[in-house]
């Protein structure tokens, strides 16, 4: 039991301590998956270089609409460079948000939100430091980059479900003949392992959302179901959505502000103590 728990923690930390850009090529399909941390400028440049090297016929991106607003630096650059090759494969963000808020119990949502906001200042600071001085990260970590705060339910809704939806949509477009030739697929780096497995299964079985074992086909997911905004009954989903939205609003306006203020005081106190010690030593 303890070994399994330790292994899971180590694997989780290793996934977070990954390089900003991950590349997987599925040779027989002519598909290259390029995963990156959306907020890093240097990673965005590396993505653009990799897309140019692969020279795809299509660039499939992690958006619902071609002109959808995004904070992803690499997606903005790619849209400008390859405006006539863009193909959107993600579901609407409204569906993703609705499934998470309505399908998560308020107690679980509260615990996950607290974890997310606890790590938020550190992730923001880490992103700022990487963009400002990427050379320091290369020397200290070999260029790897930390992201913390992911929990079980939001990982399911924002990562695993979208692995299935985006890979399934891409497979559907390839099978229908709408995409012919080479496809570069730009997604967040945590989507790469799951999408790779799904696309390889599709290449082997020719079936979307299923796998073959024991002499028969087993259904895993359906694109239609993944595009539904609710996963529970309407009343339960509505109740969860309302409570979780209120909870998040309170955490943003009360907990997050108080937490950042306390961190500021702690950092200021540490700097004052360090300064006092330094002055004492110099005297």
């Amino acid at each position: 039991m303890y070994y399994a728990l330790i292994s899971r923690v180590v694997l989780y930390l290793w996934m977070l301590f990954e390089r900003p850009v991950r590349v997987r090529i599925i040779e027989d399909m002519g598909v290259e998956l390029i995963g990156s941390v959306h907020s890093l400028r240097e990673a965005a440049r590396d993505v653009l270089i990799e897309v140019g090297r692969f020279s795809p016929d299509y660039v499939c991106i992690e958006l619902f609409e071609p002109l959808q607003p995004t904070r992803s630096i690499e997606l903005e650059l790619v849209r400008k460079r390859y405006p006539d090759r863009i193909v959107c494969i993600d579901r609407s963000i409204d569906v993703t948000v609705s499934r998470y808020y309505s399908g998560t119990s308020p107690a679980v949502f509260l615990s996950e939100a607290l974890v997310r906001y606890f790590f938020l200042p550190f992730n923001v600071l880490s992103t700022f430091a990487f963009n400002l001085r990427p050379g320091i990260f290369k020397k200290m970590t070999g260029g790897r980059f930390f992201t913390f705060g992911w929990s079980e339910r939001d990982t399911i809704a924002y990562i695993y479900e979208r692995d299935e939806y985006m890979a399934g949509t891409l497979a559907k477009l390839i099978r229908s003949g709408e995409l012919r030739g080479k496809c570069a697929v730009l997604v967040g780096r945590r989507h790469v392992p799951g999408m790779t497995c799904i696309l390889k299964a599709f290449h082997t079985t020719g079936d979307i959302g299923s796998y073959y074992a024991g002499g028969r086909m087993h259904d895993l997911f359906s694109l239609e179901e993944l595009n539904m905004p609710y996963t529970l009954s309407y009343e339960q989903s509505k109740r969860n959505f309302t409570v979780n939205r209120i909870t998040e609003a309170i955490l943003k306006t009360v907990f997050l502000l108080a937490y950042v203020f306390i961190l500021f005081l702690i950092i200021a106190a540490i700097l004052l103590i360090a300064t006092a010690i330094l002055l004492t030593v110099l005297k």
Side-chain angles (χ1 to χ4, degrees), residues 64-137:
F64 176 63
E65 297 175 335
L67 299 180
Q68 176 184 334
T70 178
R71 296 179 182 177
S72 301
I73 301 173
E74 75 279 8
L75 295 187
E76 287 285 8
L77 293 175
V78 167
R79 285 196 299 195
K80 291 178 181 178
R81 180 165 296 188
Y82 303 98
D84 56 338
R85 305 188 203 180
I86 297 299
V87 177
C88 297
I89 59 173
D90 201 1
R91 67 187 179 190
S92 169
I93 185 62
D94 294 334
V95 173
T96 299
V97 170
S98 177
R99 286 175 70 90
Y100 176 54
Y101 282 80
S102 65
T104 307
S105 70
V108 171
F109 181 87
L110 175 60
S111 64
E112 292 198 351
L114 287 172
V115 171
R116 184 163 56 250
Y117 286 129
F118 176 82
F119 285 109
L120 180 61
F122 301 102
N123 286 332
V124 171
L125 181 61
S126 182
T127 299
F128 177 77
F130 193 100
N131 283 330
L132 190 65
R133 291 287 186 271
I136 296 177
F137 273 82

Side-chain angles (χ1 to χ4, degrees), residues 12-70:
Y12 177 69
L13 291 175
W14 178 250
M15 287 175 63
L16 297 179
F17 192 42
E18 256 287 0
R19 295 186 181 279
V21 178
R22 306 176 70 179
V23 178
R24 295 289 184 275
I25 298 178
I26 307 176
E27 294 284 358
D28 296 336
M29 292 184 67
V31 171
E32 180 179 48
L33 293 171
I34 307 174
S36 63
V37 178
H38 299 311
S39 56
L40 303 182
R41 287 194 295 270
E42 184 164 304
R45 289 192 288 269
D46 290 342
V47 168
L48 208 60
I49 292 172
E50 182 59 31
V51 173
R53 185 204 64 79
F54 189 63
S55 187
D57 298 288
Y58 301 96
V59 180
C60 303
I61 60 175
E62 188 182 356
L63 292 177
F64 176 63
E65 297 175 335
L67 299 180
Q68 176 184 334
T70 178

